[in-house]
Amino acid sequence: MSEQTPRINSSRLRALLDGVNAFGKNPRTGGFNRTGYSEPDMAVRTWFMEEMRRDGLAVSRDGVANLFGRFGPQAGPSILVGSHLDTVPEGGAFDGALGACVALECVRAMRDAGIVPAVAVEVVATAEEEGRFGGMLGSQAITGTVTAEQLDAAIDADGTRLADAMRACGLDARDALTAARAPGSVAAFLELHIEQGPVLEERRIPVGIAHTVAGLVNLAVRLEGRANHSGTTPMHLRADALAGMASIAHAIPDILAAHGGDNSRITIGKLDIQPNFMHTVPGRADFVVNIRDTDPARIAALCDAMQERIATAAGANGLDFTVEEHSRMEPVALDPGLTGVLREEAARLGLAALDMPSGAGHDAQTMQALCPAALVFVPSRGGVSHSPEEFTDWPDIEQGAALMLAVLTRLAAGR
């Protein structure tokens, strides 16, 4: 068969994505529940492995349930391309799954066109990216950046230990420590993902090319006051933990104005109060402050300002407080050479492309520690993600997939 120009088969790609999303769907809400190492997560992995095996790929699974399907030479370095299959609770149909499906469709299109890669292409579906146990475990295992201490300490919001969840799936968490790819064995990593924000849609630009992935710090805060009767406790004698938390939240715009920039984000997205009863002054508030930016110095300044505000709010409300750094990921600059190839191929295809940062974390940032990594965005309607309302228009998917295919074809030829 003579080599032809490869083309994305849109209906085949749509069927593949529908196949992935047959797992973990909640028919009542329309959301998807494939949290890391849950039964639906492991079931979709088995199904995706069989899809790759039917395509004639050399299929393997490592100790943390990362999936690989190799197309081309069985020896030598490979180009990894893909994303994750797990979801947040009640997540959307496109986050992660689209990137894994586009990767496999690109390989199918190359195969159909009679392309014999000089450099192997490996489809990868990473494990536990969404953060049930902290996030990025799959790509951390591939890059050798996970530690035994992280594995031992990892628990989910319900108190389930990572080791126990993996054991229930027939996996040993310690195998993450021996899953690393050897230096030089991976030539590049490419990931397509929905933007999860409104910028591309607002500017009517079909693809984004990320140059940097923002870092983040999660500060776990506890405010402790005194639970008391809401009707009999005078306002000036209260030690109201929720009032202290509200004061901290109210200060976020001022902190950002004083210490932040265009890429700064501060969010209080998780809050637990006790006793949590309508007739009782809250005696304790536990919450997490999520701080993100592409500049590590700015992250440090925001953290300092937030901790100062927490201390001030605690003092003003008669509260004791603790602040612990729950997790941290540094900002990562993605490979300029690989992003340059993406720009060139986008121009060749006539696609307008926006250079942009990524405010959300992705496997690409972890993979940059092992090899050149790049990240392509397609628009998210309304900027919505991590929700059943998450949606990307199919013409946008096709254009992003076409760009990924063009770049993969070029890299697989050794150019």
Side-chain angles (χ1 to χ4, degrees):
M1 179 180 176
S2 61
E3 186 174 308
Q4 303 170 3
T5 301
R7 299 187 184 281
I8 294 294
N9 183 324
S10 184
S11 60
R12 182 171 61 189
L13 173 58
R14 191 190 293 259
L16 182 63
L17 183 62
D18 287 345
V20 167
N21 285 322
F23 294 86
K25 184 171 183 177
N26 182 340
R28 183 178 60 81
T29 65
F32 296 88
N33 294 278
R34 296 191 300 269
T35 54
Y37 304 119
S38 64
E39 183 178 340
D41 176 49
M42 297 306 293
V44 76
R45 292 180 183 283
T46 298
W47 181 86
F48 201 81
M49 285 181 73
E50 290 305 312
E51 285 291 302
M52 293 193 293
R53 191 171 283 119
R54 277 196 290 271
D55 284 313
L57 306 186
V59 176
S60 61
R61 189 184 82 167
D62 69 12
V64 299
N66 289 318
L67 309 181
F68 304 94
R70 189 176 179 109
F71 171 60
Q74 296 305 297
S78 63
I79 302 157
L80 288 184
V81 55
S83 193
H84 58 97
L85 293 174
D86 62 315
T87 71
V88 297
E90 296 298 327
F94 299 87
D95 180 356
L98 179 62
C101 291
V102 165
L104 182 51
E105 171 54 30
C106 285
V107 166
R108 288 171 167 176
M110 294 169 71
R111 178 203 60 194
D112 290 352
I115 292 173
V116 179
V119 181
V121 176
E122 270 190 277
V123 177
V124 57
T126 58
E128 216 316 76
E129 191 272 353
E130 284 289 14
R132 177 185 175 189
F133 296 99
M136 308 289 185
L137 177 60
S139 51
Q140 284 182 308
I142 293 170
T143 57
T145 54
V146 67
T147 67
E149 292 75 20
Q150 288 173 323
L151 296 172
D152 291 342
I155 60 173
D156 71 6
D158 297 321
T160 301
R161 297 175 61 244
L162 169 66
D164 294 336
M166 292 183 69
R167 187 178 301 112
C169 298
L171 301 168
D172 184 341
R174 285 302 177 111
D175 287 344
L177 302 175
T178 58
R181 292 293 186 98
S185 66
V186 181
F189 175 77
L190 294 169
E191 181 175 13
L192 179 141
H193 206 280
I194 58 171
E195 182 197 345
Q196 300 178 282
V199 175
L200 292 175
E201 182 185 53
E202 183 179 70
R203 300 192 187 185
R204 298 184 179 180
I205 297 176
V207 294
I209 299 173
H211 52 73
T212 310
V213 181
L216 67 86
V217 173
N218 285 316
L219 300 178
V221 183
R222 172 169 291 179
L223 301 177
E224 291 190 277
R226 186 171 59 255
N228 215 330
H229 196 291
S230 64
T232 61
T233 309
M235 299 301 291
H236 70 285
L237 295 179
R238 296 185 179 198
D240 187 333
L242 183 59
M245 191 285 299
S247 173
I248 293 163
H250 183 71
I252 288 175
D254 291 338
I255 291 173
L256 288 169
H259 304 282
D262 290 343
N263 297 317
S264 301
R265 309 285 188 269
I266 300 178
T267 306
I268 298 176
K270 178 177 173 56
L271 167 67
D272 295 304
I273 61 171
Q274 294 184 16
N276 198 22
F277 183 65
M278 69 182 76
H279 298 303
T280 305
V281 176
R284 193 172 91 185
D286 292 286
F287 56 99
V288 178
V289 181
N290 178 267
I291 300 171
R292 298 175 186 251
D293 202 281
T294 55
D295 182 343
R298 194 167 280 135
I299 290 176
L302 292 170
C303 284
D304 289 345
M306 181 56 68
Q307 297 212 45
E308 182 178 338
R309 180 59 198 174
I310 291 167
T312 299
N317 288 276
L319 308 172
D320 295 324
F321 73 96
T322 59
V323 182
E324 294 183 1
E325 187 175 295
H326 182 67
S327 58
R328 174 183 289 266
M329 297 187 74
E330 296 298 332
V332 174
L334 299 175
D335 185 72
L338 201 51
T339 55
V341 171
L342 283 163
R343 290 188 205 98
E344 291 170 8
E345 291 302 309
R348 189 179 63 81
L349 294 171
L351 293 176
L354 178 67
D355 287 350
M356 62 189 301
S358 172
H362 297 287
D363 285 319
Q365 74 191 89
T366 310
M367 293 298 298
Q368 182 65 38
L370 176 67
C371 64
L375 177 61
V376 173
F377 287 137
V378 291
S380 294
R381 185 184 291 179
V384 176
S385 184
H386 284 188
S387 161
E389 284 72 44
E390 175 182 283
F391 190 79
T392 295
D393 291 303
W394 204 254
D396 292 330
I397 291 172
E398 291 169 340
Q399 292 186 95
L403 175 57
M404 291 292 284
L405 176 58
V407 172
L408 273 179
T409 301
R410 173 172 165 176
L411 296 178
R415 300 199 298 270

